[in-house]
Amino acid sequence: MEEYKVLLTTSGVGSRLGHITDFTNKSLVRVGDKPSISHIVETYPINVTFVVTLGYFGSHVRDYLELAHPDRAFEFVEVEKFQGAKSSLLHSMKKAKDFLQAPFIFHVCDAIVDYKPAFPFENWIAGSAGDACSSTYRTLNVRNGTSLDSINEKGEIGFDLAYPGLVGISDYKLFWEKLEEIINDRPGDTQLSDCHVINAMLECDSQFKILYVNQWLDIGEPLTLASTRKKIQSSMEVLDKPHENIFILNGSVIKFFYDDKIVRKRVKRSEILSGLVPSVEASKKNFFKYGFVEGNLFAKSINTCTMKRFLDWAHLNMWSKGLGVDIRSECDAFYFDKTHRRAKAFLNGKDDVAIRINGENVDPIDTLMSALDRQMMIDGVSSIIHGDFILDNVVETKNGYTLIDWRQDFAGLLDVGDTYYDLAKLNHNLIFNHDIVNKGHYSIDYGDDGGITCDILVKKNMLDCQEVLHSFINENNYNLEKVELLTAIIWINMAPLHEYPLNKFLFNFGKYNLQRALNKGRRKDAIS
């Protein structure tokens, strides 16, 4: 007989997390460097079988677990009714009944609990003596400090411990018997949970020992998720995006994209960029996996000397290859059509107007884009490009450099793109980067006169490296004015991808710099 299995219910929508779960399952929300479900899986011995209920974005959960934990045993259970009438935690658990005809542990997928699991020869239930709010969690009444007396619904004032959603079921036959009775008596109740079954088992004289847990981290709602992330911090400096994510575990990097076309293209481009980027080891519909690259993140070690060496390396290995392809139509789509779409998404039905930013008059976005020299902007230089050419995507290794997090395409092109885009991405990153954003070293303020002030802290080292980049651009006969225009456009394009206040900062900071670059070009033309 198997010792025990672990039941993980991931079928629910996770509505308490709001927009965070708009594009994937709540069990895949990143905590530290990996999703909460990986923290839970790694709590248990390697030989334990997990029974996982799948519903809301269930394919994401299945694909991730198979990709991230190939050495683990999973049994997946499809739950068709995971929201609305006749859906509940208990209904999801019932779907797993045939897979759990043995002692099992039930572990909710939004609780990271610090405990050492053991074979559940007897029933037990976890309880936490922390300051959990009873309006948010179910609570436990304890008899003699050792055994469970009853479980309270949310909102009960008098209680002894909070219930994190972790219980060991030895009397599994009685559990399933009582579960069936409760569902038959209350078929339309969407609030039914394991707690109802456990209380029914207590009425049949079943005993549940109390397992006191010292640390219980909840990720079920935004505030508790933020608190948990402060305690389990990530080694990565990334800007969170709801439709994509990155995880690091067991010596591998796993990338998630809600848009599966991006996955297919990135896997294909990993072959095109062979030798420059890590080899993709495996992929699923919405995920791909590659080996973690040992080395130093270039963003941490860059200086003027290494910057020059890196630019020469990029020119030799990328920008001097793939030349001569006509990419004007792609540049037009990428720089103009895309920017109009992104600006429209940011404005969300509102009209953009002229405004004073940092003391200068700045035109509406449509006026700014119309003022660009379209022929100059679309006259790109085709080459092999990375596409998201920022310092945080460069790892300095013993043998040179490895590029990570490459872009999936350039306006549909996989083999080549515009060298100017790589140059502009790097130029943007020397001013605006993850380190600055994560530390909150940017600001946007609104004056009483309706004007805006945008400011950002830039390190002297980064400004020195930007001078090296600009010298490289001029020495290799690229157009620095175009790079500066594209840099401003990049900030505008980033705006709708982020939350307030960063989105407001990016849009207005981008407009301000676009206006300045246009004015600079006009002054240059007037002088000449």
Side-chain angles (χ1 to χ4, degrees):
M1 184 183 74
E2 291 182 278
E3 288 191 337
Y4 67 92
K5 292 182 177 182
V6 176
L7 171 63
L8 303 177
T9 50
T10 72
S11 35
V13 174
S15 56
R16 287 189 300 150
L17 282 169
H19 70 87
I20 295 174
T21 54
D22 283 349
F23 297 95
T24 195
N25 188 274
K26 70 175 180 179
S27 68
L28 299 180
V29 171
R30 181 166 49 81
V31 177
D33 286 344
K34 54 195 173 188
S36 62
I37 198 167
S38 279
H39 287 279
I40 295 169
V41 166
E42 292 175 354
T43 299
Y44 294 93
I46 195 70
N47 61 336
V48 167
T49 296
F50 295 88
V51 178
V52 185
T53 65
L54 305 176
Y56 184 71
F57 287 116
S59 62
H60 291 184
V61 178
R62 179 197 295 267
D63 288 351
Y64 171 79
L65 289 174
E66 291 179 343
L67 203 61
H69 301 285
D71 55 344
R72 297 279 187 164
F74 298 103
E75 295 174 338
F76 297 104
V77 182
E78 299 285 347
V79 177
E80 296 83 10
K81 199 68 177 175
F82 54 82
Q83 61 182 334
K86 295 186 178 180
S87 68
S88 68
L89 172 59
L90 216 56
H91 280 83
S92 291
M93 295 179 79
K94 179 183 177 181
K95 289 288 186 178
K97 176 182 176 181
D98 291 344
F99 295 86
L100 293 167
Q101 293 302 308
F104 67 93
I105 294 171
F106 169 55
H107 194 144
V108 296
C109 68
D110 53 11
I112 301 172
V113 183
D114 181 19
Y115 91 109
K116 294 187 180 299
F119 178 70
F121 284 107
E122 52 194 345
N123 301 319
W124 56 263
I125 189 167
S128 172
D131 56 355
C133 177
S134 65
S135 64
T136 305
Y137 305 104
R138 290 183 172 88
T139 54
L140 310 180
N141 297 322
V142 179
R143 184 186 303 121
N144 300 323
T146 59
S147 62
L148 177 66
D149 184 65
S150 62
I151 303 179
N152 303 310
E153 288 298 314
K154 297 175 184 178
E156 188 69 33
I157 297 176
F159 63 92
D160 297 309
L161 301 171
Y163 176 49
L166 175 64
V167 62
I169 304 294
S170 177
D171 296 336
Y172 63 92
K173 291 183 179 179
L174 180 60
F175 180 91
W176 295 119
E177 177 186 327
K178 293 302 173 184
L179 179 146
E180 294 282 1
E181 290 178 2
I182 292 169
I183 287 181
N184 289 336
D185 289 343
R186 302 160 63 178
D189 193 336
T190 61
Q191 301 303 311
L192 295 178
S193 73
D194 59 308
C195 300
H196 295 91
V197 181
I198 294 168
N199 277 335
M201 292 175 70
L202 291 171
E203 293 176 1
C204 295
D205 297 326
S206 280
Q207 302 294 313
F208 282 80
K209 283 195 171 182
I210 299 295
L211 172 68
Y212 288 88
V213 295
N214 297 320
Q215 180 170 306
W216 160 35
L217 302 176
D218 177 43
I219 64 112
E221 57 183 37
L223 287 177
T224 57
L225 173 61
S227 175
T228 295
R229 282 175 165 173
K230 287 182 179 179
K231 295 175 181 177
I232 304 178
Q233 296 190 358
S234 176
S235 65
M236 302 175 283
E237 291 185 351
V238 296
L239 302 180
D240 284 328
K241 299 176 183 177
H243 54 277
E244 66 179 80
N245 218 325
I246 181 171
F247 312 113
I248 299 177
L249 71 164
N250 303 325
S252 294
V253 175
I254 296 178
K255 289 283 295 183
F256 161 77
F257 291 94
Y258 172 75
D259 185 348
D260 58 279
K261 293 190 294 295
I262 293 177
V263 172
R264 292 197 301 272
K265 289 180 177 180
R266 290 212 180 190
V267 171
K268 180 63 177 176
R269 285 208 75 219
S270 72
E271 300 170 3
I272 295 169
L273 299 174
S274 177
L276 302 175
V277 303
S279 299
V280 172
E281 299 172 352
S283 64
K284 297 281 189 176
K285 184 177 181 181
N286 297 94
F287 301 86
F288 65 91
K289 173 181 176 182
Y290 59 84
F292 182 80
V293 178
E294 296 291 343
N296 299 315
L297 207 60
F298 196 43
K300 302 294 186 183
S301 61
I302 186 174
N303 57 51
T304 53
C305 293
T306 56
M307 181 67 171
K308 178 64 168 67
R309 185 164 61 244
F310 173 63
L311 290 170
D312 290 339
W313 176 89
H315 177 75
L316 176 65
N317 290 279
M318 294 193 302
W319 302 329
S320 62
K321 300 178 179 180
L323 302 172
V325 179
D326 185 351
I327 58 172
R328 284 175 293 182
S329 62
E330 286 77 16
C331 288
D332 191 70
F334 202 70
Y335 299 147
F336 288 90
D337 296 347
K338 174 184 170 185
T339 303
H340 286 301
R341 288 196 307 273
R342 291 283 180 87
K344 184 177 180 181
F346 170 80
L347 293 168
N348 194 26
K350 298 179 180 178
D351 292 328
D352 195 29
V353 296
I355 192 170
R356 285 185 69 80
I357 303 177
N358 294 344
E360 295 194 22
N361 295 323
V362 177
D363 292 325
I365 183 62
D366 286 344
T367 304
L368 291 170
M369 293 300 294
S370 297
L372 291 169
D373 182 340
R374 198 177 193 106
Q375 288 305 311
M376 178 188 74
M377 299 299 293
I378 71 173
D379 190 16
V381 177
S382 69
S383 72
I384 294 174
I385 69 167
H386 176 275
D388 194 10
F389 202 60
I390 62 174
L391 301 174
D392 291 287
N393 288 339
V394 181
V395 180
E396 194 171 14
T397 67
K398 293 179 180 179
N399 301 318
Y401 305 94
T402 298
L403 308 179
I404 57 176
D405 208 14
W406 54 98
R407 186 177 173 80
Q408 61 274 9
D409 64 10
F410 182 83
L413 295 176
L414 302 182
D415 295 339
V416 296
D418 186 8
T419 305
Y420 275 101
Y421 191 65
D422 267 2
L423 293 170
K425 287 290 289 189
L426 187 54
N427 189 54
H428 122 78
N429 187 235
L430 291 166
I431 300 297
F432 181 91
N433 50 64
H434 294 163
D435 182 57
I436 295 295
V437 175
N438 290 337
K439 292 178 179 177
H441 291 165
Y442 70 94
S443 63
I444 178 168
D445 298 302
Y446 300 88
D448 294 336
D449 61 353
I452 293 175
T453 300
C454 292
D455 203 3
I456 189 166
L457 177 66
V458 183
K459 293 181 179 179
K460 177 64 163 57
N461 179 48
M462 292 298 189
L463 291 175
D464 291 341
C465 288
Q466 190 178 54
E467 288 186 12
V468 174
L469 173 61
H470 290 184
S471 295
F472 173 87
I473 290 169
N474 289 324
E475 290 167 4
N476 286 273
N477 298 317
Y478 294 110
N479 185 341
L480 180 58
E481 178 188 352
K482 179 176 175 178
V483 172
E484 291 177 333
L485 290 166
L486 283 176
T487 300
I489 287 173
I490 285 169
W491 287 323
I492 293 167
N493 274 272
M494 290 172 65
L497 305 181
H498 296 282
E499 300 294 324
Y500 177 86
L502 183 55
N503 60 344
K504 295 281 190 180
F505 172 84
L506 285 165
F507 188 74
N508 288 286
F509 190 65
K511 282 179 55 182
Y512 167 70
N513 281 278
L514 185 55
Q515 183 76 72
R516 290 190 69 194
L518 284 167
N519 292 345
K520 181 179 177 182
R522 288 164 183 160
R523 288 193 295 269
K524 180 180 175 182
D525 291 341
I527 293 172
S528 61

